[in-house]
Amino acid sequence: AQTVTQSQPEMSVQEAETVTLSCTYDTSESDYYLFWYKQPPSRQMILVIRQEAYKQQNATENRFSVNFQKAAKSFSLKISDSQLGDAAMYFCAYRSADSGYALNFGKGTSLLVTP
Amino acid sequence: KAGVTQTPRYLIKTRGQQVTLSCSPISGHRSVSWYQQTPGQGLQFLFEYFSETQRNKGNFPGRFSGRQFSNSRSEMNVSTLELGDSALYLCASSLFAGEQTQYFGPGTRLLVL
């Protein structure tokens, strides 16, 4: 079974600064999809960014970008110019055909943004 | 376009009862997945429905069941509730099954007493 590991239970960043959240995963598949979801206190799970494994180019969405290292099975999320509204739980997730495309989530990283 | 909606948002039940949760996907989306979120186990996949057929199921006991209607709305049922079923139940929809991105609803918080 695939495992997704987020080694940082909590992270803190100052407003306007940059922070990187780590994620590693274990798989024998070559074709898969990786996601970062954000869950604020409202508990609504919000898609931040998606990366297809077959794409070498790292995905970016405004202030959010990823560093996808396929050989190392690493998928980190960089948040630039952090804002108070970025404070949330961040989940890394993986899906592929061998699990029927069910999302397999990490345990999450709680991000605190300080003024 | 309206997002995924889930009803009810909060629910309190007692052990042994059964509960039905509802999920309406984004308009045009035909796949609905359900996830359970607890502090101890994190986010776990329950099942996925596409075109009224269950196409994938997670590792949960048979007390957990679901169905999907022709309008893609989905219901999840838990029978003989146990204290450990207390959780946030999240529904996610996507255009089709497979690698499509899933968009989540606000969740239903179930408390079993």
Side-chain angles (χ1 to χ4, degrees):
Chain A
Q2 300 80 19
T3 56
V4 178
T5 302
Q6 294 180 249
S7 58
Q8 307 150 315
E10 293 179 350
M11 292 282 285
S12 181
V13 63
Q14 280 195 312
E15 245 185 315
E17 296 297 307
T18 296
V19 65
T20 298
L21 308 184
S22 301
C23 173
T24 58
Y25 55 93
D26 183 26
T27 184
S28 56
E29 297 293 303
S30 59
D31 189 20
Y32 50 87
Y33 303 83
L34 297 164
F35 304 83
W36 279 97
Y37 281 92
K38 165 186 175 180
Q39 189 177 42
S42 68
R43 309 298 274 172
Q44 172 89 47
M45 194 75 80
I46 301 164
L47 175 69
V48 176
I49 205 162
R50 163 188 166 122
Q51 174 81 44
E52 292 85 353
Y54 62 83
K55 289 186 178 178
Q56 293 193 351
Q57 186 173 6
N58 290 323
T60 62
E61 285 290 339
N62 301 311
R63 297 182 295 107
F64 299 87
S65 62
V66 297
N67 184 4
F68 173 47
Q69 301 289 328
K70 191 171 184 178
K73 297 179 184 175
S74 170
F75 183 60
S76 60
L77 175 69
K78 185 171 85 170
I79 306 174
S80 304
D81 186 26
S82 296
Q83 301 174 359
L84 294 177
D86 294 334
M89 198 75 171
Y90 286 81
F91 291 96
C92 177
Y94 161 104
R95 67 192 306 206
S96 71
D98 66 336
S99 64
Y101 291 107
L103 276 168
N104 189 352
F105 288 90
K107 293 293 188 184
T109 296
S110 178
L111 180 65
L112 173 68
V113 182
T114 56
Chain B
K1 189 181 278 192
V4 179
T5 58
Q6 291 186 245
T7 56
R9 293 293 310 278
Y10 303 93
L11 207 49
I12 299 175
K13 292 285 187 180
T14 56
R15 276 182 299 175
Q17 287 187 309
Q18 75 165 19
V19 66
T20 299
L21 312 182
S22 180
C23 171
S24 292
I26 292 170
S27 178
H29 284 196
R30 292 169 57 193
S31 173
V32 173
S33 296
W34 290 88
Y35 295 84
Q36 181 197 63
Q37 185 176 23
T38 59
Q41 298 299 315
L43 283 146
Q44 294 183 285
F45 171 74
L46 281 156
F47 29 65
E48 180 183 16
Y49 286 86
F50 176 71
S51 293
E52 303 177 63
T53 301
Q54 187 182 87
R55 66 176 302 276
N56 196 8
K57 188 177 191 304
N59 189 25
F60 278 82
R63 300 185 297 107
F64 291 81
S65 63
R67 58 178 175 168
Q68 187 179 34
F69 302 95
S70 58
N71 61 357
S72 296
R73 189 177 71 85
S74 177
E75 287 182 348
M76 188 192 101
N77 184 275
V78 187
S79 62
T80 319
L81 284 166
E82 300 177 0
L83 296 179
D85 297 334
S86 294
L88 179 69
Y89 289 89
L90 292 164
C91 165
S93 78
S94 58
L95 273 170
F96 302 105
E99 77 280 7
Q100 297 286 319
T101 297
Q102 293 184 340
Y103 297 91
F104 284 81
T108 293
R109 183 168 291 284
L110 171 65
L111 178 62
V112 182
L113 301 176

